[in-house]
Amino acid sequence: MEVEIRPQVGVGPFRLGMSVAQARGTFHASGPFRPVADDTSPGQIVLRHEESGLDVVLGFTRGALSGVELFRFRNEDADVRILFDGLDVFRTPSEDLFEQLALRGHVIEEDDLGFDALPELKVILANQSSHEQPVDEEGDPLYYDYVLVADWI
């Protein structure tokens, strides 16, 4: 499975600005994701890709999709790729991804909390998961494990 991040547009089949009903129709029609909980008038919908453990959170403001959060998969062997500008966000070491995005002309703002923002694209990348993820020799997370694509940051 490949899911493409499209800044200022959405993630995979989910488009910023779509209604709750449209989002529900999209994940029911697209197959690989299932809702974790059901709410008739949600502020958010939490979806999971069972095979990989990838979580997707759809956030709504005034009934319109305003943000999509992706949480890195838990099954390292799963055939899942989350692509941003042709790069696999959750399988490319975060330092390499950071450098590649900078080489492609993206402005990246770092903060002391572990969040890297691409403000002109309204995207945030982080490696602050509470789940066990691969680490480097010093014990630091090897990959980003969180992405937010929003209509504002």
Side-chain angles (χ1 to χ4, degrees):
M1 175 179 76
E2 287 189 354
V3 177
E4 186 154 347
I5 296 170
R6 293 183 200 98
Q8 301 176 356
V9 174
V11 174
F14 304 109
R15 301 289 180 257
L16 297 175
M18 70 184 347
S19 69
V20 172
Q22 289 170 316
R24 284 187 196 283
T26 299
F27 67 76
H28 286 301
S30 65
F33 294 100
R34 71 164 183 81
V36 173
D38 197 13
D39 184 346
T40 56
S41 180
Q44 67 180 21
I45 297 174
V46 180
L47 304 171
R48 174 159 299 143
H49 181 254
E50 286 299 323
E51 176 187 332
S52 67
L54 172 76
D55 288 332
V56 177
V57 177
L58 307 175
F60 297 88
T61 304
R62 292 186 207 79
L65 184 61
S66 58
V68 180
E69 296 175 279
L70 301 168
F71 294 86
R72 191 175 192 277
F73 46 84
R74 293 177 189 92
N75 177 358
E76 290 298 318
D77 297 326
D79 186 20
V80 174
R81 295 180 47 176
I82 307 300
L83 302 175
F84 174 50
D85 206 5
L87 301 166
D88 191 338
V89 174
F90 291 149
R91 292 197 191 272
T92 303
S94 56
E95 289 180 15
D96 295 344
L97 184 66
F98 187 98
E99 289 174 14
Q100 287 295 318
L101 292 172
L103 287 172
R104 293 172 185 208
H106 298 295
V107 175
I108 304 169
E109 296 177 357
E110 299 176 82
D111 71 16
D112 293 336
L113 301 174
F115 292 93
D116 297 329
L118 290 90
E120 81 280 3
L121 300 178
K122 299 179 178 105
V123 171
I124 293 177
L125 303 167
N127 50 13
Q128 297 292 312
S129 175
S130 61
H131 299 290
E132 181 114 359
Q133 302 289 353
V135 294
D136 63 17
E137 302 80 39
E138 286 119 28
D140 295 323
L142 187 57
Y143 307 106
Y144 285 114
D145 58 16
Y146 173 83
V147 177
L148 168 65
V149 176
D151 56 10
W152 62 273
I153 59 169

